[in-house]
Amino acid sequence: MTLYERFIAAFITGERWKLYLSGLGITLEVALFAGILGIIIGTIMALMKLSTTEDGKPTILNYIASIYIDVIRGTPSVLQLLIMWFIIMASSNNGILVASLSFGINSGAYVSEIVRGGILAVDKGQMEAGRSLGLSKATTMRYIILPQAIKNIIPPLGNEFITLIKETAIVGYVSLTDLTRVANQIASRTYDAFMPLIGAAVIYFVIIKLLTIFLGKLERRMRRSDNR
Amino acid sequence: MITVKNLCKEFKNTDGTVTKVLQGINYEINQGEKIVIVGPSGSGKSTFLRCLNMMERPTSGQIIFDGVDITDKKVDINKVRERMGMVFQNFNLFNNLTVMQNIILAPVKLKIMTEAEAREKAKKLLERVNLLDKADVYPISLSGGQKQRIAIVRSLCMNPEVMLFDEPTSALDPEMVGEVLDVMKQLADDGMTMVVVTHEMGFAREVATKVLFVDEGNILEENTPKEFFENPQSKRLQEFLSKVL
């Protein structure tokens, strides 16, 4: 078979390109839900980990967040996904929901460290100034610290989201037909692994390249208030 | 107005030893006084000042502000701080907000004024320090002297009863020190109660009602500026003055 024929077999015959597209849809859907959930969990965990009493002692929230981060970072994400699918949410057969939850909880642990780092990088004097005016810790955090921390958070957060998109390639384990699984299925049907696998790789690459360009623009826009 | 009783502050070092920064300070600050605190670096003068509004939590002792012991954990420290302004060495303007937003954030969020009232007051105060034209710029585009004058305005917008200054001119280029000291002198003339930690001996001599010499966590000497500079009692102060004057 010529390269051209192999290409036709992998992408055109039986409108197979539609399968790649629907696979990509699943990939992006899971990544997006998980990403949003990860940011929410991560921000809450970061604030919990930074919480102290007025005299600077750690609180119980601290320990809860630390345990969560340790457990999630200390176990493989494939296992977390399988545990969610077969044990915790065994009664559900909504793969998208289970995968989004599992990846969201996983991502939250990494995002929380990103958010925590971003907050700690804001000059300590900003919090002191807010407190000296009589503002509470929470108010100062919301109006002064977090808006500044976001600039530190966006670049590594983009990185985390890129990792997340690629990590979803294991959702085949919970019977979701994502981009990677589509490529694999077509490869076994056409007895030709080259075209579908390389094709899927190119699609991942293009999506992530586009995302990288978008994040670069976003980052530059957010830095604008730094150089007036 | 503020009574300090047996104020001690200890810091634990990483090697487990304890540094006693304040060793039982007693002092009384009355309404309208301008107290200037001088002393060598590491003497505890900044720590003393920062204890007055509980930015540092004292290890022991009491700080009684307007009849209330504010070291008591039951006291709402935020309410107390609304009445005590503080100006920092590094200005600490909020980088993500414009000058106007910096000034009105606290009075509006704490519901002390409406936004319109706060803006009105901010404009008046900015005019007084000749910076009304900077109302809508971000702190990044200001000089150090401008930043510090705005930091003072930000505190004043809360209508504080006392102003604490923590080395307000130490981070400034020399040619900008004057403009900040002028604002502080104006404030003193208006009758504000002030506690100032500084190395500006000229300011101490001119503005202070009392000058304190703090060394090794104690108030070693306290006097009127005239006596303080012309007739220092302790050997330690004589040495200090001979180095800085």
Side-chain angles (χ1 to χ4, degrees), chain B residues 223-242:
Chain B
N223 224 326
T224 58
K226 191 169 155 55
E227 281 295 303
F228 186 92
F229 289 107
E230 284 170 19
N231 204 359
Q233 303 294 308
S234 66
K235 188 110 194 353
R236 197 64 198 84
L237 177 56
Q238 288 163 10
E239 274 172 21
F240 176 74
L241 288 177
S242 72

Side-chain angles (χ1 to χ4, degrees), chain A residues 54-55 123 125-126 128-137 139 143-144 147-148 225-228, chain B residues 50 55 57 73 78 81 84 86 88 92-97 105-106 109-110 138 140-141 154 158:
Chain A
E54 276 291 335
D55 28 1
D123 179 18
Q126 298 283 307
E128 285 198 342
R131 298 307 307 275
S132 80
L133 289 161
L135 296 170
S136 69
K137 208 174 180 179
T139 309
Y143 292 99
I144 306 302
Q148 294 183 54
S225 76
D226 289 354
N227 30 26
R228 252 173 235 242
Chain B
R50 288 165 56 82
M55 295 305 286
R57 192 164 278 273
K73 283 191 177 162
N78 293 331
R81 286 179 183 150
M84 299 171 124
M86 185 171 222
F88 300 87
N92 296 344
L93 290 183
F94 304 133
N95 298 321
N96 58 320
L97 303 179
L105 179 77
K109 290 288 169 229
L110 295 169
Y138 283 88
I140 189 94
S141 65
R154 179 175 68 179
M158 291 289 289

Side-chain angles (χ1 to χ4, degrees), chain B residues 128-129 181-192 194:
Chain B
R128 255 179 61 185
V129 298
L181 291 181
D182 284 345
V183 171
M184 291 168 65
K185 280 177 201 163
Q186 236 184 65
L187 198 56
D189 290 341
D190 292 349
M192 176 64 77
M194 295 163 70

Side-chain angles (χ1 to χ4, degrees), chain A residues 190-209:
Chain A
T190 57
Y191 303 107
D192 178 17
F194 181 81
M195 278 295 168
L197 294 189
I198 297 295
V202 168
I203 297 173
Y204 275 110
F205 175 82
V206 169
I207 294 291
I208 283 161
K209 186 71 200 168

Side-chain angles (χ1 to χ4, degrees), chain A residues 28-126:
Chain A
L28 293 181
E29 207 174 329
V30 171
L32 186 68
F33 288 143
I36 293 168
L37 187 62
I39 290 171
I40 295 169
I41 295 177
T43 307
I44 294 170
M45 287 298 151
L47 292 175
M48 280 169 68
K49 217 175 165 189
L50 287 169
S51 71
T52 53
T53 58
E54 276 291 335
D55 28 1
K57 295 197 181 75
T59 63
I60 179 84
L61 295 176
N62 251 292
Y63 295 110
I64 297 172
S66 297
I67 290 168
Y68 161 79
I69 293 167
D70 275 356
V71 168
I72 295 298
R73 288 206 300 199
T75 52
S77 49
V78 184
L79 266 181
Q80 290 165 15
L81 182 65
L82 291 174
I83 289 169
M84 189 63 90
W85 181 240
F86 287 114
I87 302 171
I88 299 172
M89 307 238 341
S91 57
S92 163
N93 46 24
N94 184 340
I96 299 256
L97 176 73
V98 171
S100 301
L101 267 178
S102 178
F103 281 110
I105 291 170
N106 179 278
S107 184
Y110 296 92
V111 172
S112 83
E113 292 296 271
I114 291 170
V115 172
R116 193 171 71 97
I119 290 172
L120 287 176
V122 175
D123 179 18
K124 212 170 96 244
Q126 298 283 307

Side-chain angles (χ1 to χ4, degrees), chain B:
Chain B
M1 184 179 213
I2 304 175
T3 310
V4 179
K5 282 188 191 164
N6 209 10
L7 180 66
C8 294
K9 174 72 186 176
E10 296 171 353
F11 287 110
K12 283 201 181 66
N13 300 322
T14 43
D15 59 359
T17 59
V18 170
T19 308
K20 290 188 175 180
V21 187
L22 300 177
Q23 325 207 18
I25 289 189
N26 291 290
Y27 198 68
E28 170 122 31
I29 300 161
N30 296 311
Q31 182 127 34
E33 276 194 297
K34 294 95 182 65
I35 310 294
V36 174
I37 304 169
V38 301
S41 53
S43 59
K45 53 191 190 311
S46 275
T47 307
F48 172 56
L49 187 81
R50 288 165 56 82
C51 281
L52 294 181
N53 67 348
M54 301 289 284
M55 295 305 286
E56 284 316 331
R57 192 164 278 273
T59 309
S60 64
Q62 292 176 306
I63 294 157
I64 294 153
F65 176 57
D66 207 14
V68 178
D69 179 6
I70 63 170
T71 61
D72 189 338
K73 283 191 177 162
K74 283 179 226 119
V75 172
D76 181 358
I77 193 64
N78 293 331
K79 281 276 165 222
V80 176
R81 286 179 183 150
E82 287 177 15
R83 301 161 60 195
M84 299 171 124
M86 185 171 222
V87 174
F88 300 87
Q89 182 173 348
N90 294 317
F91 331 124
N92 296 344
L93 290 183
F94 304 133
N95 298 321
N96 58 320
L97 303 179
T98 64
V99 165
M100 179 57 84
Q101 290 167 336
N102 259 276
I103 300 169
I104 66 173
L105 179 77
V108 172
K109 290 288 169 229
L110 295 169
K111 303 205 161 57
I112 292 169
M113 300 171 202
T114 65
E115 187 171 338
E117 286 167 353
R119 273 179 188 279
E120 204 47 44
K121 185 165 173 69
K123 275 185 194 162
K124 274 192 199 130
L125 289 166
L126 280 174
E127 199 150 31
R128 255 179 61 185
V129 298
N130 287 324
L131 287 171
L132 188 54
D133 56 323
K134 299 288 184 193
D136 295 317
V137 307
Y138 283 88
I140 189 94
S141 65
L142 299 170
S143 73
Q146 291 171 332
K147 281 183 191 170
Q148 196 60 300
R149 282 185 283 158
I150 283 160
I152 294 172
V153 166
R154 179 175 68 179
S155 284
L156 289 178
C157 202
M158 291 289 289
N159 289 320
E161 292 159 44
V162 52
M163 286 283 285
L164 311 175
F165 292 86
D166 189 4
E167 303 201 26
T169 58
S170 297
L172 295 176
D173 289 337
E175 75 264 31
M176 291 170 184
V177 171
E179 63 192 57
V180 171
L181 291 181
D182 284 345
V183 171
M184 291 168 65
K185 280 177 201 163
Q186 236 184 65
L187 198 56
D189 290 341
D190 292 349
M192 176 64 77
T193 309
M194 295 163 70
V195 186
V196 185
V197 171
T198 187
H199 297 292
E200 295 294 326
M201 297 302 153
F203 179 82
R205 206 188 286 252
E206 200 180 323
V207 177
T209 51
K210 286 277 169 59
V211 186
L212 309 189
F213 178 62
V214 172
D215 191 33
E216 291 177 353
N218 283 305
I219 299 177
L220 231 56
E221 206 158 327
E222 178 223 350
N223 224 326
T224 58
K226 191 169 155 55
E227 281 295 303
F228 186 92
F229 289 107
E230 284 170 19
N231 204 359
Q233 303 294 308
S234 66
K235 188 110 194 353
R236 197 64 198 84
L237 177 56
Q238 288 163 10
E239 274 172 21
F240 176 74
L241 288 177
S242 72
K243 277 181 209 150
V244 298
L245 289 182

